[in-house]
Structure formats: structure tokens, C-alpha cells
Amino acid sequence: MASASPTLEKLKGRDFLTLQDFSAEELEAIMELALRLEAEWRSLKPLQGKTVVMIFQKPSTRTRVSFEVAVNQLGGWTVTLGWNEMQLGRGETIVDTARTLERYADCVVARVFRHSDLEELAEHAGIPVVNALSDLYHPCQALSDMLTLRKRFGSLKGLKLAWVGDGNNVCHSLLLACSKLGVNMAVACPEGFEPSEKVLQVALKEAESSGAKIEIVREPEEAASQADVIYTDVFVSMGFEEERERRLKAFLPKYQVTPKLFQHAKPNCVFMHCLPAHRGEEVVDEVIDGPQSIVWEQAENRLHLQRGLLAVLLQGEP
Ligand code: CP
Ligand code: NVA
């Protein structure tokens, strides 16, 4: 292994709640390590003797399985629990849970409804806390999506990502990732479903240094114009089920990703979706199963990225 990287050493012990807390250089270093571990994890066990507790307040397929597999491949051990299997579900406080878990484990990975619950957990647990999705952000998804784009296009700077649909948690983390890493991002969404103004302002500020262009538009065709990537996500995120009818009315049919939208994009434009997809709502089968779709590479890269992330937060340079 190469000599110790000061960037990686500085990341050791940090929480990973939002990409806002990390510089472009740090995000690049995590991706680099992910690539190294993708090739070398069989001979490196940076999580040997380490335990990662995972807490899920919402369902998960990719995040849960990829984290469990990553920890196991790196030599560590996981304990995975639903929120309601824990005393949290019966009203034990987050502070008391944090004080307990830090005595057993080396890291907590949590998927929650309220982002503020993660912040409270992180404040009171003296071990790294990783956001496995909250109402506000999905940083592991967005950073692994950047890894997917790096692998596909060779470099990130100057690419254009068109987000079509809800200005949700995944959109927020992509805005932060793109603006820091120099990827242009155009968000096309209906009125009332824009990304949070606070996140947008942070992204616009970051874009000043990276040179990325960040814009919010109404027309999917405008966002897709000359795009390298068309990205969408469900119109009804977990926790928003009661708004289903109102949301489908606002998004359909205009914001559904169909082959027609790709006519506005570059010829080699790819289709991305964090999954799970609601086929026939935000995307049609022809697109998600078509030749431009890289959604399975995306899903696979969750595992690669999270190996790098866990290794650096728990061990620094492996
Ligand atoms: N993309 C993603 O986080 O998927 P899961 O909800 O299956 O974990
Ligand atoms: N926006 C979606 C992402 C799922 C991975 C949700 O929060 O349900």
C-alpha cells in the first residue's frame, strides 16, 4: 500500500452525515480509496476486530446489504436492527442509545426519518455515525453515483447531470456532490417540489469555486438539453405516502423519463436512478431496461464506495 495520505488520516473518526461537511479533495480521496479497495480488499482487512451497528427506521435493500457485505469483506462484524426492535421504538432517548452503542461498537450506520435524529446521535456517540438516508440527504448514494460517473466517463469535471422529478433527499446530496466536484446539474421539477433553498444556496456557493453550473428549471427538456446523465428518483419518497395522490398529479405525465427526453441529451447520455424504481411512474421500462441505463452499475458501486468510506472513517489509511 502507498504511504499514509494526510487527507485520509484526517478523515478518520469523522461522522458522515452530509457531503456539505467534506471538501472536494476529501470526497476525491474517499473515491480513490474505494477504487483501491475494489481491487485489493481480498488482501486487506482494515475492519478486522471492528463492529458496525446498523439501525433502520425505514426499509432498505441496497444500503443494508451493501454495508453488511462491505463490513464482512473488510474483516469486520455487523449488528443490524430495526428501530422498533430497539428500545428506541419504545421511547428510549437517542442520547441514551448513543451512550450505550459507543461502548459496544466502532461505528453506527443509521437510516432515519428525521435528519436531526442523526445529528443528535452523532453529537452524543463518540464513534463515527454514517447517514444511510434521512429526510434531507442520502450522501452514500450521491458519492457512489460520482464514482459510477468517474468510471463511466473517466473524469467528472464539466459533465452535465439533469435531475428530473422531486427535489428530494437524493437530489440534495447530488447537488452538494456535483457543485463540489465540478459537475453541472440542472434540476427540472414542478412548482412546490424544488430542492430546499438552504441546500441550493450551499450548492451555489460551492459551484463558485468548482466552476459547476447549478440551475433549477421547470421543463425536463431544458434540463436534459446536452446532458451526459438523466437521473430520476421516485415521486413518493419513504415517509411521504400520504401525499401520493397530490404528488402523482403534480409530476405526471410531464416529469416521467421516457425515450423522447433523451433526444435532447448528448448521444452517449446515460440513465441513472438510485432505486428502488416505481416503473411506469418516474420512468418507463424502455428507459430503465434500455441500453443507456447504468442503474445496476450504480447499485454495485454502493458496495465499492462504502468499503472505502468505512475503511477511512474507522481506520484512516488502510
Ligand atoms: N438506493 C437505496 O438507498 O436503496 P435502498 O433503499 O434499497 O437501500
Ligand atoms: N428518495 C427515496 C430514495 C430511496 C433510496 C426515498 O427517500 O424514499
Side-chain angles (χ1 to χ4, degrees), residues 58 111 133 138 168-170 233-234 236-238 274-276:
K58 304 176 186 179
R111 171 168 286 195
L133 180 146
H138 198 359
N168 64 15
N169 45 4
V170 175
D233 183 15
V234 290
V236 187
S237 282
M238 292 180 279
C274 57
L275 304 175

Side-chain angles (χ1 to χ4, degrees), residues 59-64 111 138 141 238 274-276 302:
S60 170
T61 298
R62 280 143 289 268
T63 307
R64 174 175 173 171
R111 171 168 286 195
H138 198 359
Q141 179 71 51
M238 292 180 279
C274 57
L275 304 175
R302 296 293 307 279

Side-chain angles (χ1 to χ4, degrees), residues 1 8 29-47 70-71 73-75 147 151 303-313 315-318:
M1 204 92 298
L8 291 179
I30 297 169
M31 285 192 278
E32 277 303 322
L33 182 57
L35 290 170
R36 271 166 57 196
L37 285 174
E38 183 179 345
E40 297 176 27
W41 65 265
R42 283 177 184 81
S43 57
L44 290 167
K45 299 292 163 206
L47 264 58
V71 172
Q73 289 178 339
L74 297 180
L147 183 66
K151 287 180 175 181
L303 170 62
H304 302 311
L305 190 279
Q306 283 152 199
R307 268 197 226 102
L309 179 67
L310 288 166
V312 74
L313 297 182
Q315 183 66 27
E317 177 101 14

Side-chain angles (χ1 to χ4, degrees), residues 18-146:
T18 164
L19 299 181
Q20 194 174 326
D21 299 338
F22 295 85
S23 66
E25 190 194 358
E26 289 170 333
L27 299 180
E28 301 275 9
I30 297 169
M31 285 192 278
E32 277 303 322
L33 182 57
L35 290 170
R36 271 166 57 196
L37 285 174
E38 183 179 345
E40 297 176 27
W41 65 265
R42 283 177 184 81
S43 57
L44 290 167
K45 299 292 163 206
L47 264 58
Q48 191 88 56
K50 309 262 188 198
T51 302
V52 176
V53 170
M54 307 218 292
I55 304 170
F56 284 88
Q57 203 177 17
K58 304 176 186 179
S60 170
T61 298
R62 280 143 289 268
T63 307
R64 174 175 173 171
V65 178
S66 57
F67 264 111
E68 287 207 16
V69 171
V71 172
N72 281 295
Q73 289 178 339
L74 297 180
W77 186 260
T78 53
V79 177
T80 304
L81 289 164
W83 185 277
N84 287 324
E85 290 172 275
M86 301 178 71
Q87 297 292 6
L88 276 168
R90 294 180 55 247
E92 184 170 19
T93 66
I94 289 175
V95 178
D96 291 351
T97 305
R99 287 173 177 153
T100 305
L101 294 180
E102 70 175 10
R103 287 169 184 257
Y104 301 141
D106 301 280
C107 176
V108 178
V109 173
R111 171 168 286 195
V112 300
F113 284 103
R114 287 197 307 250
H115 189 74
S116 56
D117 285 350
L118 274 181
E119 291 174 331
E120 196 176 351
L121 190 61
E123 188 187 334
H124 295 279
I127 52 176
V129 174
V130 174
N131 181 356
L133 180 146
S134 67
D135 54 350
L136 270 186
Y137 301 112
H138 198 359
C140 299
Q141 179 71 51
L143 193 54
S144 83
D145 291 340
M146 293 298 115

